[in-house]
C-alpha cells in the first residue's frame, strides 16, 4: 500500500479533472461534487503556472481553443491563485475526497506544498523532468508516476530520481491517446511494472469507458485514474476521453466488486452448507416411476430420476435394478437402499 495515497484503502479511484474546468473555479466545484457523488476516493487537478513552464513557442497538441492565441496563453487561463487552490483543497476535504494535483514546475511544487498536498502525481510528460522529480524527492511525500510517454528504461531513471521505497511508489500504465482504443490500453504492462519496480500498480485510462479499469482490477491493479467531465461538456480538450458522473459511479462499484472478489478465494475442493442445501434442492433422486408393490423385482422401467435431490443419484441405478422391494412405493416416492432386499 502506498503510504498516504491509498489512505488505508484497499484501492484508490482517482477522478482526473485536468482542464475540464476551462479555467472557471465554479466548474471546479461542480466537478468535485460530481466525483464525490460517484464515489471517487480522490480528485486530481493540474497545477499550471504559465510563466514557469511554457514559452510562446509551445505547440498545441490539438488546436481546440479559439480563445487563446498560444498554448502558453491557454495555460495562463488555466491558472488559479494560491487562495483559489486552498479553496479547492478545502472543498475536497469537506466532500470527503483526497486532493491531488500534478505540478508542472518547481514553483507549482512549492505552491502545492503550501496548499497541503499529501501525495504527488507526476504526469506522463513530466516523468523525464529531472528538475521536478528532484523537487518532489526533497518533499518526502509518496509518488505516483504515470508512464504514458515513458519506456521501462525511462521509468528506471525516474524511479531512481524520486528515490521512494516500494511502499511509497506507484506506477500507472497509461496510453496517451485520446480516446484510447482497446488495442493500445496495454494491460500486459501492469505485470511488467509490478515485477520490475516492486511497487503498487495501476492504470491511468483515457478510453472513455470503465472497461480498462475493470480489467486492470482483475489483474491486481490498485489505483484507477480516469478523466471526469460534466454531462454537458462535449467540446473540452479531454471530453472525448472522459467519463460522466454516471460512468464513474459504475467504475467505482465495479472495481470494488472485483477487488472484493479477488480478496475472497473460493475453495472448490468442498461444498459449503449452503451449496449442499442447494444441491439437494436442484438435484434429482431415483423415484418410483409408477406405483410398486412389496416383492416387485425392480426393472429400469420402474425407475425415474426427478427433483428434488437428497436421495439416490442416477449412478445407483445399476445397484438397485434386479432387486426386490421390501415395501410398496407410490409413484414419485423416493427409493432408498433400505427399501430393497439384500441381493442374492
Amino acid at each position: 500500500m502506498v503510504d498516504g495515497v491509498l489512505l488505508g484503502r484497499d484501492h484508490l479511484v482517482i477522478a482526473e479533472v485536468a482542464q475540464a474546468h476551462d479555467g472557471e473555479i465554479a466548474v471546479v466545484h461542480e466537478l468535485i461534487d460530481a466525483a464525490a457523488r460517484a464515489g471517487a476516493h480522490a480528485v486530481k487537478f493540474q497545477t499550471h503556472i504559465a510563466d514557469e513552464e511554457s514559452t510562446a513557442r509551445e505547440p498545441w497538441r490539438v488546436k481546440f481553443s479559439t480563445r487563446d492565441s498560444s498554448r502558453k496563453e491557454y495555460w495562463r487561463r488555466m491558472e488559479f491563485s494560491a487562495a483559489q487552490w486552498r479553496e479547492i483543497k478545502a472543498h475536497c476535504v469537506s466532500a470527503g475526497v483526497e486532493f491531488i494535483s500534478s505540478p508542472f514546475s518547481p514553483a507549482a511544487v512549492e505552491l502545492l506544498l503550501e496548499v497541503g498536498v499529501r501525495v504527488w502525481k507526476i504526469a506522463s510528460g513530466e516523468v523525464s523532468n529531472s528538475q521536478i522529480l528532484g523537487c518532489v524527492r526533497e518533499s518526502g511525500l509518496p509518488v505516483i508516476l504515470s508512464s504514458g510517454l515513458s519506456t521501462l528504461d525511462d521509468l528506471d531513471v525516474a524511479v531512481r530520481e524520486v528515490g521512494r521505497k516500494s511502499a511509497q511508489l506507484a506506477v500507472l500504465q497509461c496510453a496517451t491517446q485520446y480516446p484510447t482504443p482497446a488495442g493500445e490500453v496495454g494491460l500486459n504492462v501492469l505485470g511488467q511494472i509490478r515485477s520490475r519496480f516492486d511497487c503498487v500498480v495501476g492504470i491511468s485510462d483515457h478510453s472513455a469507458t470503465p472497461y480498462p479499469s475493470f480489467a486492470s482490477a482483475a489483474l491486481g491493479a490498485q489505483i484507477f485514474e480516469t478523466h471526469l467531465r460534466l454531462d454537458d461538456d462535449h467540446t473540452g480538450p479531454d471530453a472525448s476521453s472522459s467519463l460522466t458522473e454516471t460512468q464513474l459511479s459504475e467504475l467505482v462499484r465495479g472495481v470494488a466488486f472485483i477487488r472484493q472478489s479477488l480478496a475472497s478465494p473460493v475453495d472448490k475442493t468442498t461444498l459449503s452448507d449452503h451449496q449442499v442445501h442447494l444441491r439437494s434442492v436442484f438435484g434429482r433422486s431415483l423415484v418410483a416411476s409408477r406405483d410398486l408393490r412389496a416383492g416387485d423385482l425392480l426393472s429400469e422401467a420402474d425407475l425415474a430420476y426427478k427433483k428434488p435431490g437428497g436421495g439416490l443419484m442416477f449412478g445407483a441405478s445399476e445397484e438397485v435394478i434386479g432387486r426386490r422391494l421390501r415395501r410398496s412405493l407410490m409413484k414419485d416416492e423416493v427409493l432408498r437402499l433400505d427399501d430393497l432386499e439384500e441381493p442374492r
Side-chain angles (χ1 to χ4, degrees):
M1 180 170 63
V2 179
D3 295 346
V5 179
L6 302 188
L7 307 173
R9 297 180 181 275
D10 169 75
H11 62 280
L12 182 69
V13 176
I14 304 173
E16 162 73 276
V17 167
Q19 273 63 250
H21 52 73
D22 201 36
E24 299 292 334
I25 191 70
V27 179
V28 170
H29 292 300
E30 288 185 65
L31 287 162
I32 292 172
D33 287 335
R37 286 192 300 266
H41 306 129
V43 182
K44 194 193 82 67
F45 303 90
Q46 296 180 5
T47 300
H48 295 283
I49 303 175
D51 288 338
E52 299 289 337
E53 69 176 81
S54 180
T55 70
R57 298 188 305 279
E58 181 185 0
W60 293 92
R61 184 185 78 201
V62 176
K63 185 65 170 73
F64 54 82
S65 174
T66 58
R67 299 172 57 185
D68 308 292
S69 60
S70 68
R71 183 75 158 163
K72 180 179 180 179
E73 289 305 309
Y74 173 72
W75 294 134
R76 195 185 306 281
R77 189 161 60 82
M78 294 301 105
E79 292 179 9
F80 293 118
S81 67
Q84 287 174 315
W85 278 118
R86 286 191 287 271
E87 176 186 331
I88 292 168
K89 164 73 182 299
H91 187 172
C92 286
V93 171
S94 67
V97 294
E98 184 73 11
F99 167 78
I100 302 176
S101 190
S102 294
F104 286 82
S105 65
V109 171
E110 291 303 314
L111 173 57
L112 289 170
L113 284 172
E114 292 174 11
V115 171
V117 73
R118 301 200 298 171
V119 56
W120 299 112
K121 167 65 196 305
I122 306 302
S124 291
E126 305 301 320
V127 168
S128 60
N129 186 336
S130 296
Q131 183 185 39
I132 285 182
L133 297 184
C135 295
V136 165
R137 180 187 183 111
E138 292 178 6
S139 73
L141 297 175
V143 177
I144 304 173
L145 298 173
S146 200
S147 65
L149 299 177
S150 303
T151 65
L152 290 171
D153 289 342
D154 294 332
L155 290 171
D156 284 337
V157 175
V159 167
R160 286 197 299 271
E161 289 187 330
V162 296
R164 291 296 182 270
K165 297 179 180 178
S166 58
Q168 290 187 305
L169 174 70
V171 179
L172 310 186
Q173 163 55 9
C174 175
T176 50
Q177 289 179 272
Y178 302 81
T180 304
E184 300 296 332
V185 171
L187 294 174
N188 62 296
V189 180
L190 296 172
Q192 296 171 14
I193 290 171
R194 181 183 292 108
S195 61
R196 191 170 182 125
F197 303 113
D198 186 28
C199 64
V200 171
V201 300
I203 188 165
S204 179
D205 178 47
H206 306 107
S207 70
T209 77
Y211 308 141
S213 292
F214 294 160
S216 298
L219 293 172
Q222 288 181 270
I223 299 181
F224 310 88
E225 180 183 69
T226 185
H227 282 257
L228 174 66
R229 67 174 176 86
L230 297 178
D231 288 350
D232 60 357
D233 176 12
H234 301 289
T235 59
D238 299 311
S240 66
S241 56
S242 300
L243 301 187
T244 63
E245 179 182 334
T246 299
Q247 290 174 308
L248 179 59
S249 179
E250 180 184 2
L251 184 154
V252 169
R253 293 194 304 272
V255 165
F257 186 97
I258 295 166
R259 290 291 302 171
Q260 184 177 358
S261 299
L262 289 174
S264 307
V266 172
D267 181 5
K268 291 295 285 184
T269 63
T270 186
L271 295 179
S272 67
D273 291 343
H274 178 62
Q275 289 171 318
V276 170
H277 169 69
L278 288 180
R279 191 158 77 171
S280 70
V281 171
F282 294 113
R284 296 173 184 248
S285 304
L286 286 177
V287 299
S289 64
R290 58 186 177 83
D291 290 344
L292 300 172
R293 294 175 298 178
D296 281 350
L297 192 68
L298 288 180
S299 68
E300 183 177 354
D302 295 326
L303 301 175
Y305 195 50
K306 298 182 179 182
K307 298 178 181 179
L312 296 176
M313 298 183 71
F314 187 77
S317 298
E318 294 181 3
E319 184 180 355
V320 302
I321 290 174
R323 293 170 65 178
R324 294 189 182 278
L325 287 173
R326 286 179 172 171
R327 69 179 184 90
S328 298
L329 295 177
M330 297 179 62
K331 181 180 178 181
D332 287 341
E333 188 173 352
V334 173
L335 176 67
R336 306 189 185 281
L337 287 178
D338 58 8
D339 295 331
L340 303 170
E341 294 180 356
E342 292 298 325
R344 295 178 180 178

